[in-house]
């Protein structure tokens, strides 16, 4: 009988232990509750900020090119990200400070009548980088030949004056490829510009050169095509 009682007692103890173990695994733990906000915080994602659509990024770039570049029109500095970088085939990289200084010195738009336009077209979002908007530029405008505050207007005035009455004042640039990266704060983080698509494109006055180099070429000034020490 003693052995029977011992066996029963051991069985009861084993069952009790099993129940305790099962309860420990199935009962909710006090520290197991984590909010969705806490989960997102660990992933460094701001769930309070709405996602920016590709249409919004394209619209941002279109508006910038029409009125705020600092090249075709006065610059809107509020649209530049603090870590902005500009790169061109000759000039660059330029950070935010350098970009403001260079465009503030050049003031390309001052060399033209009010008809200067980027004539941008073909806007689309990069399939591998949803923040990056690609497009083409085929700029045109009329040079007035007056020396104003910007360096480019003074250089152009010199070039046109040297050509005399037969000076060509109608600028038609080659088609260029541009891109702009728009960050999640709707600021311009990166710009690549001035990459000529076809140097032999007919009907142009820039002779295969992009940006201000094409403008200088139109005024009869053979600007360097490759980067020199002063431009690197």
């Amino acid at each position: 009988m003693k052995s029977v009682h011992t066996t029963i007692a051991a069985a009861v103890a084993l069952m009790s232990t099993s129940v305790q173990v099962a309860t420990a695994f199935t009962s909710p733990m006090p520290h197991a509750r984590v909010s969705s906000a806490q989960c997102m915080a660990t992933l460094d994602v701001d769930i309070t900020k709405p996602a920016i659509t590709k249409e919004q990024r394209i619209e941002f770039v279109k508006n910038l090119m029409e009125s705020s570049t600092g090249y075709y029109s006065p610059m809107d500095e509020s649209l530049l990200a603090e870590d902005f970088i500009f790169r061109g085939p000759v000039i660059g990289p330029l950070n935010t400070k350098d970009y403001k200084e260079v465009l503030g010195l050049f003031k390309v738009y001052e060399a033209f009548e009010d008809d200067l336009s980027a004539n941008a077209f073909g806007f689309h979002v990069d399939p591998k980088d949803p923040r990056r908007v690609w497009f083409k530029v085929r700029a045109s405008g009329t040079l007035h030949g007056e020396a104003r505050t910007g360096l480019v207007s003074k250089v152009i005035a010199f070039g046109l004056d040297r050509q005399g009455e037969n000076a060509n004042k109608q600028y038609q640039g080659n088609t260029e490829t541009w891109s702009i990266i728009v960050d999640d704060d709707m600021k311009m983080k990166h710009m690549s510009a001035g990459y000529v698509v076809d140097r032999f494109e007919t009907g142009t006055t820039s002779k295969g050169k992009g940006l201000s180099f094409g403008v200088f070429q139109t005024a009869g000034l053979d600007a360097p095509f490759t980067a020199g020490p002063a431009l690197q």
Side-chain angles (χ1 to χ4, degrees):
M1 292 292 293
K2 182 176 180 179
S3 61
V4 173
H5 287 302
T6 301
T7 302
I8 294 175
V12 171
L14 180 61
M15 291 175 61
S16 177
T17 302
S18 300
V19 171
Q20 291 176 2
V21 172
T23 302
F25 274 99
T26 57
S27 299
M29 299 180 70
H31 60 276
R33 296 181 180 275
V34 181
S35 67
S36 59
Q38 289 173 311
C39 288
M40 297 302 288
T42 60
L43 297 175
D44 194 26
V45 176
D46 186 357
I47 61 174
T48 65
K49 186 181 296 183
I52 300 172
T53 65
K54 64 179 182 180
E55 290 79 12
Q56 288 174 312
R57 283 192 163 89
I58 289 175
E59 190 64 24
F60 172 91
V61 172
K62 284 183 177 180
N63 291 336
L64 185 147
M65 291 301 298
E66 288 177 1
S67 61
S68 311
T69 58
Y71 185 91
Y72 299 106
S73 55
M75 182 189 303
D76 183 351
E77 296 183 4
S78 69
L79 301 180
L80 295 178
E82 292 184 2
D83 56 350
F84 168 79
I85 293 293
F86 169 89
R87 289 183 183 275
V90 175
I91 298 177
L94 301 177
N95 60 22
T96 305
K97 178 176 179 295
D98 294 338
Y99 183 74
K100 292 177 182 178
E101 290 180 356
V102 169
L103 291 190
L105 175 65
F106 279 18
K107 292 184 179 177
V108 177
Y109 56 88
E110 277 194 353
F112 289 85
E113 303 286 358
D114 294 335
D115 62 348
L116 175 62
S117 174
N119 301 315
F121 65 97
F123 295 87
H124 62 281
V125 172
D126 191 312
K128 291 187 176 181
D129 184 354
R131 304 175 306 161
R132 191 168 196 170
V133 178
W134 291 91
F135 55 99
K136 298 292 193 300
V137 162
R138 191 178 289 148
S140 63
T142 305
L143 297 164
H144 52 61
E146 299 175 7
R148 297 184 180 175
T149 60
L151 176 62
V152 170
S153 68
K154 296 175 182 178
V155 174
I156 295 301
F158 167 78
L160 294 177
D161 183 65
R162 191 175 65 171
Q163 293 184 62
E165 295 181 358
N166 295 323
N168 173 44
K169 293 186 177 181
Q170 294 300 317
Y171 162 66
Q172 177 57 64
N174 284 72
T175 304
E176 304 170 8
T177 294
W178 288 45
S179 75
I180 290 176
I181 293 178
V182 184
D183 68 17
D184 293 335
D185 293 318
M186 291 298 280
K187 302 284 187 179
M188 180 166 61
K189 181 181 179 66
H190 174 78
M191 172 189 282
S192 64
Y195 292 87
V196 172
V197 176
D198 180 3
R199 292 190 295 115
F200 306 101
E201 183 178 2
T202 60
T204 68
T205 61
S206 49
K207 294 185 178 180
K209 299 175 183 177
L211 295 175
S212 56
F213 299 104
V215 179
F216 293 149
Q217 192 70 59
T218 299
L221 301 169
D222 192 12
F225 185 75
T226 57
L231 297 175
Q232 290 178 341

